[in-house]
Amino acid sequence: QVTLRESGPALVKPTQTLTLTCTFSGFSLNSNRMCVFWVRQPPGKALEWLARIDWDDDKWYSKSLKTRLTISKDTSKNQVVLTMTNMDPVDTATYYCARKGPLWNYFDYWGQGILVTVSS
Amino acid sequence: EMVMTQSPATLSVSPGERATLSCRASQYVSNNLAWYQQKPGQAPRLLIYGASTRATGIPARFSGSGSGTEFSLTISSLQSEDFAVYYCQEYNDWPPITFGQGTRLEIK
């Protein structure tokens, strides 16, 4: 069965770089048309997509956060890593990784999420 | 820039009754729309994609309709486990994708 799980720090200081890891199972990012997204959700607010990485290593970023994000994958470990630089309190959110559906850009499987708080 | 507007923000319905949630896209999205359910402390769960196709394991009381810019999610007979926040998401013209602000479905 497909599972995804996010890991990383629960607390980061302003200006620091956040590194999150998504470890998944039940599918391969080597498979044609497979993609993994990062999506975040500030407390009590809506969802916002951040980045996507494709089976062929194409990478896509939210326009508003593009300069701060880097996404990468390690297919041997079944992991996707997201780094976000220059963290700010407004970046406090639950960060999810999610698998793109088989055909289009909806999400058929999600990790449980990790709450990251940005505070000094 | 695409904007997805969900209404109402909060919907109060009694168990056993029907609930209809709306989602409007600011631009044409064909039928490239998904619905998710999110319960407190949980990740979103895919309910509907392609505007009207139920995802695997989703009960038949959930149905989606619409095309173009106007969409709805109907829950035919509310069960206690259905009270949650519901989000719509368009995926018509990647990139980007856009989520709505959510509708909270609460017990009346």
Side-chain angles (χ1 to χ4, degrees):
Chain A
Q1 95 257 27
V2 173
T3 65
L4 304 98
R5 185 182 76 251
E6 304 86 354
S7 59
L11 179 66
V12 298
K13 291 180 168 40
T15 75
Q16 286 187 336
T17 294
L18 171 69
T19 299
L20 296 174
T21 300
C22 174
T23 304
F24 58 87
S25 63
F27 67 97
S28 172
L29 248 185
N30 284 326
S31 298
N32 195 29
R33 299 180 68 85
M34 197 59 66
C35 311
V36 170
F37 277 78
W38 284 95
V39 175
R40 72 177 179 180
Q41 185 175 36
K45 296 189 177 181
L47 300 152
E48 175 188 23
W49 86 277
L50 301 176
R52 172 182 128 176
I53 191 163
D54 296 357
W55 79 100
D56 59 359
D57 212 35
D58 271 355
K59 296 162 187 172
W60 309 79
Y61 298 101
S62 165
K63 189 181 294 186
S64 61
L65 293 166
K66 182 182 175 74
T67 59
R68 299 173 54 205
L69 296 173
T70 303
I71 192 170
S72 62
K73 63 182 173 72
D74 184 334
T75 51
S76 67
K77 294 182 179 179
N78 281 351
Q79 290 181 334
V80 172
V81 176
L82 181 77
T83 63
M84 181 180 290
T85 61
N86 195 24
M87 293 291 285
D88 184 272
V90 300
D91 297 313
T92 294
T94 297
Y95 288 76
Y96 296 99
C97 58
R99 191 184 82 160
K100 182 182 92 61
L103 293 177
W104 303 111
N105 285 310
Y106 57 84
F107 308 107
D108 58 356
Y109 290 94
W110 297 68
Q112 85 279 6
I114 181 169
L115 175 61
V116 178
T117 301
V118 184
S119 175
S120 54
Chain B
E1 176 189 333
M2 178 74 72
V3 176
M4 305 299 291
T5 303
Q6 292 187 240
S7 60
T10 302
L11 182 61
S12 299
V13 183
S14 300
E17 293 189 341
R18 173 188 297 256
T20 300
L21 291 65
S22 295
C23 175
R24 172 179 292 177
S26 62
Q27 302 170 33
Y28 177 81
V29 299
S30 184
N31 67 337
N32 295 311
L33 186 107
W35 289 93
Y36 302 88
Q37 177 193 67
Q38 188 177 35
K39 297 180 180 178
Q42 295 185 17
R45 177 175 72 142
L46 177 67
L47 298 175
I48 301 284
Y49 62 92
S52 61
T53 302
R54 277 190 302 277
T56 302
I58 301 303
R61 65 180 181 273
F62 290 90
S63 63
S65 63
S67 184
T69 61
E70 300 281 347
F71 302 87
S72 62
L73 173 71
T74 298
I75 311 169
S76 60
S77 178
L78 280 164
Q79 308 296 304
S80 58
E81 62 267 28
D82 300 335
F83 292 96
V85 179
Y86 292 83
Y87 292 96
C88 63
Q89 177 232 324
E90 67 80 27
Y91 50 91
N92 185 61
D93 192 17
W94 168 260
I97 57 168
T98 307
F99 291 91
Q101 291 299 305
T103 289
R104 179 178 306 277
L105 181 57
E106 64 177 27
I107 300 175
K108 186 174 182 179

